[in-house]
Amino acid sequence: MIKVIKSSEQIHAQGGIFITHELLKQYGIDKLIDKHLGTRGSGKGYSYSDLTLGLGYSQHCGATCIEDIQHMTETFNNHPEFAMSSPDIVLRMLDELKTETIVHISESGVKHEFNSNQPLNDLLQKICIHTKVLSTTEEYTLDYDNTNTFHNKYDAKRTYQNDKGYQPGVGSINNIPIFIEGRNGNSPAKYLMKDTLKQLFELTDMNDIKFTKFRSDSAAYQQDLIEFMENRHVTFYIRMVTCEELRMQIKELTEWKQIEYNYNLIELAEMWYAPFGGEKKYRVIVQRKKNKTAQLDAFSESVYEYYSIITIDTAGTPQEIYTFYNQRGGTSEDVIDILKNDFNRNHLPCSFLDQNTVFMILSAISYVLTVWMKTIIGKHIKGITQKGRLKQYMFMFINVAAKWIHSGRQTILKIFSHKGYEFIPLKI
């Protein structure tokens, strides 16, 4: 039997968030946000940096929806400088920062809605550079992918999976999101993808982010997009859409090399192929693996399943190209998974695409700041790894008892822990 004694002493359970705030402030993240987004106008007590960082702090502390910000006000109620706003004010900011949703009408009369919010995507990239999560001196591989988020928002359209939602796109480098495009659920990934990537390239050119390689799934298997990449001198690796002509040419392949990949035995071959009915040939790496039944498939007239990658890379071996392409599963797909489940893209707060796109980009900024914080804090707090999910970061760093002490004209943050919090480079 234990005895419970209540104390009115203000001790905070998530003291690590105070250190997060101090580090972001000392590295000028708040000033960068306000410089880029400007002021909210007279009479508005919270700046854009207050609201943006406050949203991020709520996510770092485990918030799953915008209303959870309300619980953070008690945590920050006696902070010497920072005050957490209410959820309503954050929702007002999402409306203030929205940009116009662009509508395209397809030849069949279908309405497609896109929202790329270039100012906020620009801020996302500037924060990547400012924190040195990305460098302007390196050359990177760009990954691009779209995924469905299912919900019943007012303007949501039915996806190809027949559920209502959005199908936003994410451009990423080394597990770092650098571009978010909101698009409605009825707009497939391949529709106007070249236009999307043009906008992405415009921002990366402006921010001096360089990449020489591009990976994407079969949505990018389009003639105009491949020509666009060639004109940009970007080496592409794109999964192909199988057609009868391609199948016939694959049947003629005789030189197959067996390799083991992810504990599976597969066979690789290569050939040169002219897609889209054109004359120019590209290098194609073909993978084949026996189907699960090992029986002849009536459609392909083969016991094999085939998977092809088109590229202009003539230097890498088939195994190197195949391995490099499949690494995108651990980059772009991981980024989308983390944004969905750790940074609440599965819990969009608003009724319309323009406001929800603001939320998605601000959540991506929160993700980038978390990655950066891990590089600093991980040197002093054991157990924090770059590949660890947000929950690990919370358990190992954020969730620690803390108390503010004001003594002798000093403000001191007292941490109740045996971990190395005192070694974090901080000036409170």
Side-chain angles (χ1 to χ4, degrees):
M1 198 76 174
I2 63 170
K3 185 176 181 180
V4 177
I5 299 176
K6 182 179 177 180
S7 172
S8 60
E9 195 173 8
Q10 284 196 320
I11 295 180
H12 305 284
Q14 295 175 310
I17 202 66
F18 299 133
I19 295 177
T20 299
H21 174 72
E22 294 299 324
L23 283 172
L24 295 180
K25 185 179 67 173
Q26 289 173 25
Y27 279 85
I29 303 301
D30 54 341
K31 293 179 181 177
L32 174 61
I33 293 171
D34 288 330
K35 179 181 177 181
H36 187 79
L37 298 181
T39 61
R40 296 186 64 229
S42 59
K44 296 181 178 179
Y46 295 92
S47 67
Y48 283 125
S49 63
D50 291 336
L51 300 176
T52 299
L53 295 179
L55 174 63
Y57 297 158
S58 70
Q59 293 170 338
H60 292 172
C61 291
T64 56
C65 60
I66 206 81
E67 289 77 16
D68 289 340
I69 292 175
Q70 188 65 45
H71 302 301
M72 297 294 298
T73 56
E74 183 178 348
T75 298
F76 279 95
N77 66 353
N78 65 342
H79 190 281
E81 296 177 351
F82 185 80
M84 184 70 71
S85 74
S86 69
D88 289 342
I89 297 177
V90 174
L91 290 171
R92 207 170 300 152
M93 172 190 66
L94 300 182
D95 187 64
E96 292 169 6
L97 294 178
K98 70 184 180 183
T99 58
E100 181 184 3
T101 294
I102 305 302
V103 178
H104 295 277
I105 307 296
S106 68
E107 294 180 358
S108 60
V110 177
K111 184 169 73 171
H112 299 272
E113 297 169 316
F114 299 83
N115 192 290
S116 63
N117 202 313
Q118 293 293 79
L120 280 183
N121 273 310
D122 185 26
L123 175 61
L124 171 61
Q125 294 184 13
K126 281 180 165 55
I127 287 177
C128 289
I129 299 300
H130 184 84
T131 58
K132 299 183 180 178
V133 169
L134 294 178
S135 169
T136 57
T137 60
E138 293 188 40
E139 294 182 341
Y140 294 105
T141 297
L142 172 67
D143 292 299
Y144 186 81
D145 207 352
N146 290 75
T147 187
N148 291 326
T149 58
F150 301 113
H151 48 73
N152 289 304
K153 300 302 178 183
Y154 182 81
D155 62 353
K157 302 291 194 301
R158 291 201 177 275
T159 71
Y160 64 89
Q161 292 174 290
N162 206 33
D163 289 309
K164 291 180 70 176
Y166 297 152
Q167 194 174 168
V170 179
S172 62
I173 294 173
N174 290 350
N175 284 335
I176 303 297
I178 64 163
F179 184 86
I180 308 290
E181 180 192 58
R183 60 168 62 196
N184 220 320
N186 67 322
S187 301
K190 68 181 297 180
Y191 185 72
L192 298 181
M193 183 185 280
K194 179 185 170 184
D195 292 349
T196 297
L197 291 173
K198 272 186 174 181
Q199 294 179 69
L200 192 160
F201 272 77
E202 288 173 3
L203 286 179
T204 54
D205 287 346
M206 187 167 59
N207 290 306
D208 204 20
I209 299 174
K210 308 176 187 70
F211 45 85
T212 56
K213 296 180 179 180
F214 171 77
R215 294 182 294 204
S216 184
D217 59 16
S218 58
Y221 183 56
Q222 305 178 50
Q223 183 175 2
D224 61 344
L225 198 148
I226 284 177
E227 291 173 350
F228 172 68
M229 290 296 168
E230 283 192 280
N231 292 334
R232 294 277 312 201
H233 306 290
V234 174
T235 303
F236 56 83
Y237 305 80
I238 298 172
R239 183 172 179 175
M240 301 177 70
V241 177
T242 303
C243 63
E244 182 61 27
E245 182 184 5
L246 180 61
R247 278 195 293 267
M248 294 301 294
Q249 194 163 329
I250 289 175
K251 284 183 180 180
E252 298 175 3
L253 293 173
T254 57
E255 297 183 10
W256 294 90
K257 180 181 179 182
Q258 188 177 77
I259 67 168
E260 183 178 343
Y261 183 79
N262 280 350
Y263 308 105
N264 291 312
L265 290 177
I266 61 172
E267 294 179 276
L268 297 178
E270 63 177 309
M271 65 184 190
W272 290 84
Y273 174 73
F276 315 116
E279 297 181 358
K280 184 173 182 178
K281 292 187 175 182
Y282 296 88
R283 191 182 185 193
V284 174
I285 307 302
V286 184
Q287 171 231 299
R288 74 177 185 181
K289 181 175 67 172
K290 284 189 177 180
N291 60 42
K292 293 180 180 180
T293 62
Q295 295 179 352
L296 189 70
D297 181 77
F299 183 70
S300 64
E301 299 180 350
S302 172
V303 297
Y304 291 100
E305 297 173 345
Y306 295 96
Y307 170 107
S308 304
I309 302 163
I310 189 169
T311 182
I312 54 172
D313 182 346
T314 58
T317 66
Q319 183 172 351
E320 289 170 342
I321 292 173
Y322 177 80
T323 301
F324 176 73
Y325 175 80
N326 282 282
Q327 287 170 350
R328 65 178 291 272
T331 54
S332 63
E333 293 176 10
D334 279 358
V335 167
I336 290 173
D337 176 49
I338 292 170
L339 289 173
K340 276 185 173 183
N341 297 299
D342 290 8
F343 292 90
N344 302 335
R345 205 167 83 174
N346 276 338
H347 300 275
L348 298 175
C350 302
S351 298
F352 298 97
L353 180 63
D354 51 4
Q355 296 165 317
N356 285 323
T357 300
V358 174
F359 177 81
M360 287 189 282
I361 300 174
L362 294 184
S363 296
I365 289 173
S366 179
Y367 172 26
V368 170
L369 293 176
T370 306
V371 172
W372 173 62
M373 291 292 293
K374 287 179 181 180
T375 64
I376 298 174
I377 295 166
K379 297 175 183 177
H380 308 284
I381 305 294
K382 292 182 179 180
I384 294 178
T385 62
Q386 283 297 328
K387 291 187 177 180
R389 299 295 289 259
L390 182 62
K391 184 181 290 186
Q392 179 204 64
Y393 181 68
M394 289 169 51
F395 285 160
M396 302 307 298
F397 170 67
I398 296 292
N399 295 346
V400 61
K403 177 184 178 182
W404 288 104
I405 299 173
H406 305 281
S407 176
R409 298 184 180 179
Q410 281 189 313
T411 300
I412 300 169
L413 181 65
K414 185 176 182 179
I415 297 287
F416 297 86
S417 174
H418 65 280
K419 297 179 182 178
Y421 285 87
E422 72 273 21
F423 300 113
I424 297 173
L426 197 61
K427 297 177 183 178
I428 297 180

